[in-house]
Each structure stands twice: as structure tokens, then as C-alpha cells.
Amino acid sequence: MADPMSKIKTVAIKSAALKALALPARILFPPVCAGCRRHVSQPGVLCGACWPKLRLLERPWCAVMGTPFTHDMGEGFLSAEAIADPPPFDRARAAVVYSGVARQMVQGLKYQDRTDLAPWMARWMLRAGAELIAEADVVVPVPLHWRRFFRRQFNQSAELARAVAHLSGLPFSPSAIRRVKLTRQQVGLERQEREENVRAAFRVPTEAQIEIAGRRVLLIDDVYTTGATVRAVAKALKRGGAGAVDVLTFARVLPGDFRADESATI
């Protein structure tokens, strides 16, 4: 019979060796705060100054839109937004409010090539979207037009979606939907202008229809602002054969906070 102490010693030696190998990297590239880049104890965490500035979205919330309520309205209660303008997707959830350090993280990922933030942002998304992930069949990111992708070299939504798929064990399908129209940036556009901007901008390629046919798609984006983009993508996914679509984003601009003329608003 194998000696159990010998196995424990082997595991301990391997763990110590891995830590030793990681030490030079930690010295050369010490972990920094995901918000302000101060040095922290481990990668992907916020420092003591940034953590209080992050507002997590918590229950109670609208069963459809994920919009938080000030007090519990009862199971399945819907917000005025969900009743007045029912979305083409089934449910939407977001991890944090788009303000303060969350805004810095989104803009760092999107405009400063901080792709290292995506796995840590995805962990918060998994927490907020646990019920969606439990029922999802495939993870699909909001796509970039190929010209914009060529300039930027990466798609921030795809980085988040890849991390969500990896952490949840779900299939990742980055080519299930395509942006076929080069749209204007949504920044600075009013609500109606945003809807017009992305109208007919997305399509499921014929060869990709098998990836989503009859399946529950988890659509990933970085920020839910007015919902114009994810609504347009959800409609295209449904036309392409998806059985249902849920939306999961890292951040959410709460109703009443949207300002089209605010340059910092996505």
C-alpha cells in the first residue's frame, strides 16, 4: 500500500516548485490594482482605496432587465422598462454599475489594451449571471466589424466571453454572429440614434447557424448602456435560429444615468 505521507510530500514539493518558478515573474511584474494600478498582494484584486468605489449589482432586481430595485417587490416583479418596451432577449444581468473604478476597468480593457483584466472581470460576471450560465448552451460575444477589429487587434467583448466560457465550461462561439455593417461609435448618440445606428448591423452566417440552432445563447458585452446593441444582436440571433438569448455584461448604465453628451459614457 502506498505511503500517504509520501504523496503529501510530493504534492508539497510540486507546489513549492511552482511558487519558486513564479517568483521571478512576480518580482519583475508585480500585481497591480485592477482599478488604479497600485501594487497589490495578488493579480486581479482591487486595492483598499478602489474597492469601496465599486458598486456591485445585487438582488432584488427586475427578473427580465436585471435593474436593481430599492426594496424587494416580490418574485418575478418586472420594472417599468421591461413592461413598456419588452426586449428581444429573455434576461439581462450585469456585475457592476458603470461608474468609478468599473468605468476605469472597462475603458482600460477597451482603449488601453488591458486584456489582462478580462479574466478578473469575468469572475464578477459569473457571480451576477449564475442563473443564466446554469441554463446556457453556448457563449457568444457581441462582434466587432472586421475593419474595426483590424485597427484594434482585439474585441473586448470576445475577451470577456472567452474568459466566461473558460470559467464556466461552456462552449465559446466567437463566429456565431457577424457585424455586417460598419456602424458609427455609439458614444455621443441619443437613444433613438443608437437604435438606428445598429439596425440590421448583425447577421448569423449560414455556416454558423448549426452552432446556435435551437440553443440558449449567452450573449456577452462589456457595458449595457441603452441596450440598443444587444437588442439588435439578440434579434439577429433569433432570426438565425437561436432558441433563446440571455445577455450578460460586466457593467450597466442604470436607467436615469444615461447621458448621450457625456464623453466617458460608452
Side-chain angles (χ1 to χ4, degrees):
M1 183 176 178
D3 180 7
M5 287 306 297
S6 176
K7 185 175 181 180
I8 292 171
K9 287 177 182 177
T10 301
V11 172
I13 291 170
K14 287 183 178 178
S15 177
L18 289 172
K19 288 180 180 178
L21 289 171
L23 187 59
R26 291 288 292 271
I27 294 172
L28 291 172
F29 306 103
V32 295
C33 170
C36 68
R37 301 191 62 100
R38 290 190 184 96
H39 286 175
V40 290
S41 59
Q42 55 184 315
V45 301
L46 296 174
C47 68
C50 285
W51 178 251
K53 299 176 185 176
L54 188 74
R55 183 182 168 192
L56 298 173
L57 286 170
E58 306 276 3
R59 293 177 183 273
W61 54 38
C62 170
V64 171
M65 303 303 300
T67 310
F69 295 134
T70 54
H71 57 278
D72 195 347
M73 308 294 286
E75 186 68 26
F77 192 86
L78 301 183
S79 62
E81 178 186 11
I83 295 170
D85 187 18
F89 50 80
D90 288 37
R91 297 167 294 182
R93 299 289 183 268
V96 298
V97 176
Y98 184 66
S99 63
V101 67
R103 179 182 299 183
Q104 294 169 19
M105 293 174 71
V106 167
Q107 294 186 346
L109 172 63
K110 191 167 186 174
Y111 301 121
Q112 298 164 25
D113 298 340
R114 290 289 312 279
T115 53
D116 59 294
L117 293 175
W120 308 104
M121 295 163 75
R123 291 178 191 275
W124 283 323
M125 293 169 69
L126 257 66
R127 174 181 175 274
E131 60 184 321
L132 278 57
I133 289 165
E135 299 176 20
D137 296 313
V138 61
V139 176
V140 173
V142 170
L144 281 180
H145 189 271
W146 68 267
R147 290 184 183 175
R148 191 158 289 147
F149 181 85
F150 183 78
R151 289 197 300 270
R152 192 179 291 175
Q153 297 296 307
F154 74 98
N155 175 5
Q156 74 282 353
S157 299
E159 295 299 318
L160 291 171
R162 182 180 292 107
V164 166
H166 175 74
L167 291 168
S168 64
L170 289 168
F172 174 50
S173 185
S175 57
I177 190 158
R178 194 174 292 162
R179 190 183 291 246
V180 294
K181 184 173 78 173
L182 183 59
T183 56
R184 295 169 57 192
Q185 292 279 6
Q186 295 280 64
V187 178
L189 300 182
E190 297 286 352
R191 289 178 183 271
Q192 189 63 38
E193 291 175 320
R194 285 172 177 249
E195 292 176 9
E196 290 296 331
N197 190 40
V198 294
R199 193 183 304 278
F202 304 96
R203 187 177 68 234
V204 175
T206 303
E207 64 274 15
Q209 290 179 3
I210 193 171
E211 298 179 39
I212 63 167
R215 307 178 84 186
R216 189 170 203 102
V217 175
L218 182 62
L219 180 63
I220 303 292
D221 204 2
D222 54 350
V223 182
Y224 186 113
T225 306
T226 65
T229 299
V230 293
R231 282 171 178 263
V233 178
K235 288 177 182 177
L237 286 167
K238 292 278 191 71
R239 286 196 299 270
V245 179
D246 290 319
V247 175
L248 180 59
T249 63
F250 172 68
R252 171 77 189 265
V253 176
L254 294 182
D257 290 348
F258 171 68
R259 299 290 182 273
D261 58 352
E262 184 183 355
S263 61
T265 300
I266 296 296

